[in-house]
Amino acid sequence: MSAGTTYTYTVKARDVAGNISAASAPVSATTETGNPGETPLSQGKRAWASSTENGGSGPELAVDGKGDTRWSSAFQDNQWINVDLGSSKTLSKVVLKWEGAYAKGFKVQVSDDPDFGTWKDLYTTSNGTGGTQTLDVNGQGRYVRILGQTRATPYGISLYELQVYGK
Ligand SMILES: [Ca+2]
């Protein structure tokens, strides 16, 4: 089954003599997005950032699906990472897997503007928790940005994974 998809099915019973009943009334169910094992829309997509700490911490490492590789910014506030989903999507969930250097204040934003001049805020906090943050969001767009406004540590901000879910 695919995520975010409605399936309709009926049930038929067979007795020991091999007689098959009439089909039951149709039942439908819709799978959720962002389930464990589902590949994020963002995985393997083009990512870029305002800065990179060093040659081993590029933005592509936040969307490579690997929990032991990460993007890390310069040691400054107001750093960001963008990912291009390839086409406009309806977004339902964003999962952030922060390294110890996390953002205290940040926004999750979405845009369809190829010039990146306009962004819609999907989530805003000034008191981020670090760790793994699972954020329910509701928006539409092709480009997703994590805008780190303030840092929790003197280091930059660093994400093991930035995962965007939707359909
Ligand atoms: Ca990674």
Side-chain angles (χ1 to χ4, degrees), residues 8-110:
T8 301
Y9 46 90
T10 61
V11 177
K12 294 180 181 180
R14 184 202 304 265
D15 69 16
V16 289
N19 300 307
I20 299 175
S21 72
S24 71
V27 176
S28 65
T30 302
T31 55
E32 294 183 0
T33 58
N35 289 319
E38 180 184 349
T39 302
L41 297 175
S42 47
Q43 191 162 310
K45 297 298 197 303
R46 185 172 67 99
W48 67 107
S50 55
S51 66
T52 293
E53 180 185 352
N54 58 49
S57 62
E60 71 281 1
L61 299 175
V63 292
D64 65 355
K66 298 177 183 172
D68 60 350
T69 60
R70 60 189 175 93
W71 165 66
S72 185
S73 78
F75 297 177
Q76 297 170 5
D77 287 336
N78 298 310
Q79 300 301 302
W80 49 259
I81 181 170
N82 283 2
V83 61
D84 177 359
L85 302 177
S87 61
S88 191
K89 304 289 187 182
T90 300
L91 308 182
S92 59
K93 188 177 292 186
V94 174
V95 178
L96 301 174
K97 297 185 177 180
W98 295 104
E99 199 253 359
Y102 65 93
K104 191 81 172 168
F106 69 91
K107 293 176 182 284
V108 179
Q109 300 176 304
V110 67

